[in-house]
Amino acid sequence: MPRLPRRSLGGIALGFAFATPQATRAQTAPPRLPGSLNTARRLDAWLRIGPDGITLLTGKVELGQGAVTALCQMAAEELDVAPARLRIISGDTAATPDEGYTAGSQSIENGGAALRYAAAEARAILLDLAAQRFGVAVESLRVDDGTIRAPDGRSIAYEALAAANPLAREASGRVAPKPPAAHRLVGTSLPRLDIPAKVMGEAIYVQDMRLPDMLFGRVVRPPSYAATLRAVDLDAIRALPGVVAVVRDGRFLGVVAVREEQAIKARAALQRAAAWDMPPSLPDPARLHATLKGLKTDTTIPSEKRGDAPPAVKRLSASYTKRYFAHASIGPSCAVAAYAADGAALRVWSHTQGVFPLRRDLAKALRLAEGAITVSHVQGAGCYGHNGADDVALDAALLARAVPGRPVKLQWMRDDEFAWEPYNPAMEMALSAGLSAEGRIVEWTHEVWSNHHNMRPGQSKDGVNLLAAWHLAEPRAPSYPVAAPQPFGAGDRNAVPLYDFPNQRIVNHLVVEMPVRVSALRTLGAYGNVFALEAFMDELAAAAGVDPAQFRLNHLKDARARAVIEAVVKLAGEDASPLPRGLGFARYKNTSAYVACIAEVALDRASGTVRVPRIWSAVDSGQVISPDGLLNQIEGGILQAVSWTLKEEVRFDTVRILTRGWEDYPILTFSEAPKLRTTVLNRPDLPPLGAGEASQGPAVAAIANALTRAAGMPIRALPYTPERIKEALA
Amino acid sequence: MPIALTVNDGRHETTAEADTPLLYVLRNDLGLNGPRFGCGTGQCGACTVLVEGVPLRACQLELGALGGRAVTTLEGLGTPARPHKLQRAFIAEQAAQCGYCANGMILAAKALLDATPEPSEAEIRQYLDPYLCRCGTHHRIVAAVQRAIREG
């Protein structure tokens, strides 16, 4: 097994050495390098070879999605070493390249491309060195698990060439990675590096960190977003057993105690002791979408095209909505923070998706220089986007500041996570289209109203996107939401159809006021937009009297898109059942993996219950790095989307968030999980495409379209909870 | 007055208060990582331990109520060198994404198989329903339990 970074878990020294990040800016007009190599351009930013072995450095982090294993696989392939020989450091401001966030299904596309090219070039450099040493032609050498062998039997290990410091140079990007036909490791299902520790109970999560003299923290949040603190007696809390510090800064409140249960008791006491005023600030949930559309919006036209087409003889329009849903990680967010005894430097361990962006906002919130802060990634529970990971890091730092020299571990309680995490925004999608006499779509309009789907930290110079920063006595404001350019987009992600329509107009109404806290959740706006786009395609297919799969093919030139639709139709056709079915398709971001899903549903009209017994899917994610890793992401994504679609909705009234625990927010259970069949169209000669967020849009669309058949009418408001289904059918 | 407890066949003493949830003693006094804090309200199953073979939520179990009953955590099932058949099966099936819920899944499955050596797939699902998985790894977890049954 490759060695995972153990430096941060158990018995580590609390050091404050601040290395300079390896990423360096090149001279003017440097050549464009592949993936993240373009911004972190030195080979030794990615790979280090020392007498003690080979270290792989990546700015991408493990979120439970298997990215680090796949990256290790890609690098080991190019280096010709067994993956077990690689030591991996991921996401550390003191060691790794700055690859921004581990998000957007970009780890393999960008992080993987960088490692591939860096590793291929490193291998070539090492081979050159060996050829010189042996006085033989480089072509005559071969590599066997990191040992270079000459035809005459002489050999030398990579590590033995380390003294020359051969990777201390800028990458050229000119050494091509192996051709797919030469792959021995890529394309195989290398077992995940992190799973054994997770099933054996070894220390692997940030929650498992135990540092010398470590204390435990808890925070007391206001009872609502807009609540103001009227009065609180902190002295009574300070007198409680084990309490070391009580922190109040504005309406940020927290406790530090010797033992964890003491911190939890002190939190409860502090909650009782604090008196709050709670003015209403939230939209009336009964008029949610109308309220959001009435707020200030910045409107852009991400795509518009005009072309020749026959006249429209039939026009349809429909409006679709989705409400807020939560990341709802099983483990509440957690961080460990420690100030140096003199308060001049800060160490943070966090399951953040971006150690560098987090550090930027921590520096602003804490008024420290960025260089005085080191942030190291340590795994947490699955996050599925921007959950409380970054916020809790600032919380821990604010508490640690009260006890300099001592680390503080802070895990949010369940209600902290549910009530304060940034949700996936509510959205409304208004679509209209015109059909020609031949049943072709000749005009298409898609308007979307949504808050921004990316309010992560580290976005802007001025704003601070960390919760506690908004609550301090000298508060910092969040950054102003700025529309993300296509093809990625944010609220308009996947609003631009992949279908070929002669006339189209996509309008992005970015709602800039944010009455309910929202940010990035797996797929961003794609879940809502693909739901609307694909449900509307079915409504149009019905109006045109054309089979939904055929109707899509009639509007699709992209051969890979056509292939996944044809493949899923064939796959689902192998299984007979009397239940109504529906199809959904998307290419995530129009740049990543292609997925088509077919779902079958069973509707119980009396109770309003929708069940999804089976989902079939076909996926093309280009070259498959790990077949099993790909399936885990695609199928896990489908099940999560089923949960969002059938069950999930954050509850609130005009004053406060009401969703506080699992009783308020049921998720998919084992008995409810649909049976899945998935077929993968491997394209070994094409670049690998991100797949972690590719299946959710097609899955919800397939369910929606099957439900239309079961209900005899389209149901255009998500989620499909019994109460909303009954309302729709009434 | 220290409280004695038996965990994974070892005797331990703690000076924690009697109303302390067992979870924090296991994690912070005994240095165990298997039981994980998920909700603190007994709803998710991430903190599950076996008490005399019965799966219980360690976040809801007060130290003083343990009454000398033996506790088994994930660490008590097997070691990296000699993993339990369920741990082997979870690795073989790659039955995790984030893995945070794996502790509860494995211990619940252990309790199920101890009582019902050959449960049907539906029985496995029904038994695991009170244990929450957020990554959508449900089918792999069921497959791992079935593999453990098969491979014994």
Side-chain angles (χ1 to χ4, degrees):
Chain A
M1 284 289 107
R3 286 163 285 170
L4 286 168
R6 295 294 170 95
R7 69 203 183 285
S8 37
L9 300 182
I12 71 154
L14 187 56
F16 284 93
F18 297 107
T20 309
Q22 296 299 309
T24 56
R25 293 282 167 190
Q27 64 280 16
T28 49
R32 171 135 201 112
L33 295 175
S36 308
L37 201 55
N38 197 45
T39 46
R41 302 176 66 94
R42 283 173 63 92
L43 289 175
D44 58 4
W46 300 93
L47 286 166
R48 282 188 219 149
I49 298 186
D52 56 339
I54 307 169
T55 303
L56 180 162
L57 303 147
T58 168
K60 300 296 183 184
V61 297
E62 185 57 54
L63 308 171
Q65 83 286 41
V68 168
T69 301
L71 293 171
C72 171
Q73 224 174 320
M74 294 170 86
E77 177 76 68
E78 297 303 330
L79 287 167
D80 278 322
V81 297
R85 283 164 43 90
L86 293 176
R87 179 170 173 261
I88 302 165
I89 299 177
S90 62
D92 193 315
T93 58
T96 68
D98 178 359
E99 291 192 79
Y101 309 106
T102 302
S105 300
Q106 291 292 285
S107 297
I108 301 303
E109 290 182 25
N110 284 338
L115 277 169
R116 254 187 178 164
Y117 275 85
E121 190 164 345
R123 179 182 182 277
I125 290 167
L126 293 164
L127 282 173
D128 277 342
L129 284 174
Q132 286 164 28
R133 182 173 294 209
F134 295 151
V136 300
V138 72
E139 295 76 26
S140 71
L141 298 172
R142 62 189 177 84
V143 183
D144 176 15
D145 189 14
T147 297
I148 302 170
R149 296 185 191 281
D152 59 11
R154 284 179 295 170
S155 69
I156 187 164
Y158 283 167
E159 288 86 341
L161 294 164
N165 214 6
L167 305 185
R169 63 168 85 170
E170 180 146 326
S172 73
R174 283 198 286 271
V175 179
K178 287 181 186 175
H183 285 162
R184 283 178 298 177
L185 201 55
V186 162
T188 68
S189 294
L190 181 70
R192 280 257 304 275
L193 309 177
D194 51 331
I195 286 182
K198 290 172 174 178
V199 303
M200 299 311 303
E202 293 177 46
I204 188 162
Y205 301 104
V206 68
Q207 286 88 348
D208 302 330
M209 285 185 65
R210 297 176 186 90
L211 301 180
D213 294 325
M214 189 174 80
L215 298 167
F216 293 89
R218 284 296 184 275
V219 286
V220 170
R221 293 277 177 232
S224 71
Y225 290 146
T228 52
L229 186 54
R230 195 168 59 233
V232 61
D233 174 13
L234 300 182
D235 288 339
I237 310 302
R238 290 197 177 97
L240 292 173
V243 171
V244 177
V246 179
V247 174
R248 178 190 173 180
D249 187 337
R251 55 191 185 119
F252 173 82
L253 294 172
V255 295
V256 181
V258 174
R259 295 184 56 91
E260 191 164 17
E261 68 274 13
Q262 291 169 334
I264 293 169
K265 278 187 177 176
R267 172 186 186 264
L270 186 50
Q271 281 176 322
R272 287 191 299 271
W276 303 87
D277 291 318
M278 292 200 287
S281 70
L282 299 180
D284 176 357
R287 301 190 308 110
L288 173 63
H289 293 95
T291 306
L292 290 175
K293 285 170 82 171
L295 299 176
K296 180 179 181 311
T297 59
D298 288 348
T299 295
T300 51
I301 314 286
S303 167
E304 183 159 33
K305 102 183 157 189
R306 289 276 160 259
D308 291 332
V313 297
K314 198 185 274 186
R315 286 196 166 77
L316 271 72
S317 60
S319 203
Y320 302 84
T321 59
K322 70 165 287 290
R323 302 176 79 89
Y324 300 98
F325 57 80
H327 301 81
S329 303
I330 291 294
S333 296
C334 180
V336 178
Y339 265 83
D342 64 1
L346 172 67
R347 283 288 272 122
V348 173
W349 292 267
S350 162
H351 52 102
T352 175
Q353 290 175 275
V355 289
F356 289 93
L358 170 58
R359 182 170 74 163
R360 287 200 285 278
D361 273 13
L362 284 175
K364 283 181 276 181
L366 297 164
R367 297 174 202 283
L368 282 173
E370 271 184 55
I373 305 173
T374 302
V375 182
S376 303
H377 179 265
V378 188
Q379 288 191 56
C383 64
Y384 328 107
H386 178 198
N387 67 350
D390 298 289
D391 298 322
V392 76
L394 175 57
D395 292 348
L398 288 167
L399 298 187
R401 193 161 67 178
V403 288
R406 297 192 71 174
V408 174
K409 178 157 80 178
L410 164 56
Q411 184 167 21
W412 276 4
M413 302 301 282
R414 172 51 54 195
D415 56 339
D416 293 328
E417 189 83 29
F418 264 129
W420 288 94
E421 66 146 288
Y423 312 118
N424 179 279
M427 297 168 70
E428 178 162 349
M429 288 71 56
L431 281 77
S432 60
L435 285 166
S436 70
E438 294 76 33
R440 295 296 184 106
I441 294 168
V442 290
E443 305 164 9
W444 179 273
T445 305
H446 182 139
E447 288 190 72
V448 54
W449 287 263
S450 175
N451 278 138
H452 210 293
H453 287 249
N454 184 354
M455 295 301 291
R456 295 177 182 278
Q459 299 265 1
S460 75
K461 247 193 170 106
D462 307 319
V464 177
N465 291 343
L466 295 171
L467 175 58
W470 311 335
H471 293 174
L472 299 178
E474 289 179 51
R476 303 293 302 252
S479 64
Y480 186 86
V482 178
Q486 286 283 342
F488 285 18
D492 57 335
R493 181 165 291 183
N494 275 92
V496 179
L498 197 72
Y499 299 107
D500 303 292
F501 302 142
N503 294 289
Q504 72 182 30
R505 181 178 162 83
I506 314 303
V507 186
N508 181 25
H509 302 283
L510 168 55
V511 180
V512 296
E513 282 177 61
M514 196 171 64
V516 174
R517 187 183 184 209
V518 293
S519 187
L521 202 167
R522 210 174 182 189
T523 78
L524 309 194
Y527 171 82
N529 286 314
V530 173
F531 157 63
L533 193 167
E534 287 289 293
F536 197 50
M537 283 297 280
D538 260 37
E539 296 193 34
L540 289 160
V546 180
D547 166 75
Q550 188 57 51
F551 187 72
R552 285 168 173 78
L553 296 173
N554 290 347
H555 294 91
L556 262 180
K557 290 197 203 76
D558 187 320
R560 297 172 75 179
R562 297 176 65 89
V564 293
I565 291 174
E566 286 162 351
V568 79
V569 168
K570 180 166 176 289
L571 184 71
E574 293 170 7
D575 300 314
S577 82
L579 290 171
R581 296 180 177 184
L583 168 69
F585 159 78
R587 181 184 192 188
Y588 183 53
K589 296 183 292 186
N590 294 329
T591 61
S592 288
Y594 298 80
V595 175
C597 292
I598 289 178
E600 64 176 21
V601 307
L603 168 65
D604 181 67
R605 285 176 175 273
S607 66
T609 306
V610 178
R611 282 192 311 114
V612 179
R614 278 192 289 192
I615 295 183
W616 299 262
S617 56
V619 53
D620 170 358
S621 69
Q623 177 188 67
V624 177
I625 307 298
S626 166
D628 190 67
L630 175 64
L631 276 183
N632 208 353
Q633 280 302 291
I634 292 290
E635 298 195 333
I638 290 173
L639 293 188
Q640 194 170 74
V642 172
S643 188
W644 297 344
T645 303
L646 299 187
K647 307 193 75 161
E648 298 186 27
E649 175 179 354
V650 174
R651 311 273 169 175
F652 53 91
D653 59 22
T654 56
V655 174
R656 62 199 291 268
I657 301 294
L658 300 175
T659 294
R660 302 265 156 174
W662 293 110
E663 71 276 21
D664 310 314
Y665 198 87
I667 59 171
L668 197 75
T669 65
F670 281 84
S671 298
E672 294 166 337
K675 284 196 167 58
L676 304 176
R677 278 189 71 194
T678 305
T679 183
V680 174
L681 310 183
N682 191 6
R683 310 273 188 200
D685 294 319
L686 296 175
L689 300 175
E693 301 164 284
S695 60
Q696 292 85 348
V700 60
I703 294 166
N705 289 332
L707 182 60
T708 299
R709 276 177 205 96
M713 58 182 273
I715 299 181
R716 302 187 181 115
L718 294 174
Y720 293 148
T721 53
E723 53 179 328
R724 296 203 180 279
I725 292 294
K726 275 195 287 189
E727 194 183 299
L729 294 177
Chain B
M1 177 76 179
I3 297 173
L5 66 166
T6 305
V7 179
N8 299 335
D9 295 330
R11 295 276 294 163
H12 303 271
E13 281 196 348
T14 173
T15 53
E17 297 290 325
D19 65 352
T20 303
L22 177 64
L23 176 62
Y24 305 112
V25 175
L26 296 176
R27 290 191 61 83
N28 301 331
D29 295 307
L30 275 57
L32 297 168
N33 304 302
R36 293 158 193 152
F37 176 84
C39 65
T41 51
Q43 292 179 307
C44 73
C47 67
T48 297
V49 296
L50 298 178
V51 179
E52 312 254 288
V54 179
L56 295 176
R57 313 273 158 127
C59 73
Q60 297 298 294
L61 196 58
E62 289 188 2
L63 192 57
L66 207 53
R69 290 176 292 168
V71 175
T72 305
T73 72
L74 187 62
E75 290 89 340
L77 258 56
T79 61
R82 292 181 59 86
H84 184 269
K85 64 181 179 182
L86 278 160
Q87 290 166 318
R88 268 203 320 269
F90 268 66
I91 295 169
E93 292 291 335
Q94 296 284 287
Q97 286 191 33
C98 82
Y100 202 86
C101 70
N103 169 69
M105 300 300 174
I106 293 170
L107 288 175
K110 164 97 168 54
L112 172 63
L113 299 194
D114 285 349
T116 312
E118 294 195 12
S120 68
E121 186 191 326
E123 285 173 319
I124 296 169
R125 287 181 186 275
Q126 200 175 15
Y127 194 86
L128 293 179
D129 270 345
Y131 297 81
L132 301 183
C133 161
R134 183 53 167 164
C135 295
T137 317
H138 304 74
H139 297 319
R140 287 172 181 247
I141 292 168
V142 173
V145 177
Q146 291 174 314
R147 177 189 281 264
I149 295 167
R150 215 165 50 236
E151 295 186 348

